[in-house]
Amino acid sequence: MAMFDPFRSGGVIFIWVLTCCAVCVWGRPATFLQDFRVTWADSHITQIDQGRAIQLRLDQSSGCGFASKVKYMFGRVSMKIKLVPGDSAGTVTAFYLNSDTDNVRDELDFEFLGNRSGQPYTVQTNIYAHGKGDREQRVNLWFDPSADFHTYTILWNHHHIVFYVDDFPIRVYKNNEARGIPYPKMQAMGVYSTLWEADNWATRGGLEKIDWSKAPFYAYYKDFDIEGCGVPGPANCASNPRNWWEGAVYQALNAIEARRYRWVRMNHVIYDYCHDKSRYPVTPPECLAGI
C-alpha cells in the first residue's frame, strides 16, 4: 500500500519499511486495481497512466463509483483529487469510509458539492458513529480544487478522527466515549468514492440544478494511499499501540496544525450543525467536548 505523510514538507512521498502488527509492509505507489474495485458503471471509470490515476465520469446515463478491496480498522487514507471544473452545480464527488452495515453504520465523509462557475467549492464532512449521523459541517475551500490535484486525508485512530485538506485540518472529532459520546471503533470500514447527481440538495440546498448541457462531468484521482489494519488480518492489529497512526504525534494536533485549524474554522466554515439551533435546540454533547 502506498503511504503518504501530510506532515512532511513539500508533499514528497517517502518510501520506507513499516512494521505493523509484527508484519513488515513495504510502501509503494499504488495503482488503482491493486487496492480498488469498481462498484458501479465500469464504463464511466477510465484508468490513466497504467492505473496510477483514474477519471470518473458523470453524464445523464450514469454516475460511477469504486471501493477498496479490503476494509480497515484505524489508520489513514488519502487521495489526490482534481474536482469537476466549471459549472458543476448539482454534482457531488464523494470520498469516504463506510462500514457498509445497514442499522449501526459507521461512516466518515468528504463530499465535494459542485458550484455555479465563479462560486467557491464547498466540502461537506459528516460522521456516523454507531448508526447516528447528521453531523454535517461545510467549509468553503480557499483555492480552486478543479485547477489542480489536492490531497484529501482522513486520519482515524483511537484518539480522534481528523479530516485534512492538504496540510490543513478542517475537522476534528475526538474520542469522548468516557463522556458517553459514540465513537466509531467497533467496525472495519472500506474506502469508497463516487461521482453522482444530487441536484435536489447539493448546491444551495437544491436551488441550483445540474446543467446537462455541460455534461459529461469529470473528476480525476491519483496517489491512492492507504495504511491501516486490513480485515481480515491479525487479530491484535487494531489494538496495537505500536501502530504508527497511534503514536504520540498523531494523538492531537501539533501547534502548526492547531493554528491552521483555527484559521479554517474562523474564515471558511459556512455551516456547523453544532450551531444550528433549528435542528438542535439542545447542543449535541460532542460539540461541547472540544478537540
Side-chain angles (χ1 to χ4, degrees), residues 100-160:
D100 196 24
T101 46
D102 292 331
N103 297 323
V104 189
R105 175 167 44 132
D106 291 332
E107 186 171 316
L108 310 175
D109 294 336
F110 269 120
E111 292 178 307
F112 303 94
L113 311 183
N115 63 0
R116 286 269 102 96
S117 297
Q119 298 173 351
Y121 237 107
T122 298
V123 56
Q124 174 172 282
T125 58
N126 199 0
I127 293 170
Y128 284 78
H130 302 186
K132 172 66 172 65
D134 299 324
R135 296 182 172 96
E136 300 94 346
Q137 294 182 1
R138 296 187 195 113
V139 170
N140 275 349
L141 294 175
W142 50 96
F143 53 86
D144 180 358
S146 67
D148 203 351
F149 286 94
H150 291 266
T151 303
Y152 303 94
T153 303
I154 301 172
L155 172 70
W156 171 38
N157 61 29
H158 282 83
H159 305 277
H160 60 185

Side-chain angles (χ1 to χ4, degrees), residues 216-227:
F217 303 99
Y218 296 104
Y220 296 86
Y221 291 69
K222 67 178 183 177
D223 294 355
F224 311 101
D225 300 319
I226 305 174
E227 196 63 49

Side-chain angles (χ1 to χ4, degrees), residues 147-281:
D148 203 351
F149 286 94
H150 291 266
T151 303
Y152 303 94
T153 303
I154 301 172
L155 172 70
W156 171 38
N157 61 29
H158 282 83
H159 305 277
H160 60 185
I161 296 157
V162 186
F163 293 81
Y164 289 92
V165 174
D166 294 324
D167 293 343
F168 286 72
I170 66 167
R171 183 168 187 177
V172 179
Y173 184 85
K174 290 292 287 186
N175 183 348
N176 282 298
E177 283 190 312
R179 303 186 187 188
I181 298 169
Y183 187 80
K185 70 171 195 179
M186 303 303 295
Q187 301 184 94
M189 290 192 272
V191 183
Y192 294 82
S193 189
T194 55
L195 174 60
W196 54 293
E197 172 197 355
D199 68 0
N200 61 322
W201 67 271
T203 307
R204 294 184 59 215
L207 295 177
E208 304 280 0
K209 301 300 184 181
I210 236 176
D211 182 353
W212 287 113
S213 72
K214 303 293 197 303
F217 303 99
Y218 296 104
Y220 296 86
Y221 291 69
K222 67 178 183 177
D223 294 355
F224 311 101
D225 300 319
I226 305 174
E227 196 63 49
C229 291
V231 176
N236 65 341
C237 182
S239 60
N240 188 346
R242 295 196 306 265
N243 292 329
W244 65 261
W245 54 84
E246 301 289 354
V249 297
Y250 298 101
Q251 294 177 15
L253 300 184
N254 62 38
I256 293 174
E257 291 176 321
R259 286 196 298 272
R260 290 174 171 174
Y261 180 72
R262 287 193 297 270
W263 177 80
V264 170
R265 306 301 296 180
M266 289 176 61
N267 295 287
H268 295 282
V269 173
I270 60 170
Y271 177 81
D272 186 344
Y273 78 105
C274 291
H275 303 140
D276 190 340
K277 293 301 182 183
S278 64
R279 290 178 67 194
Y280 298 102

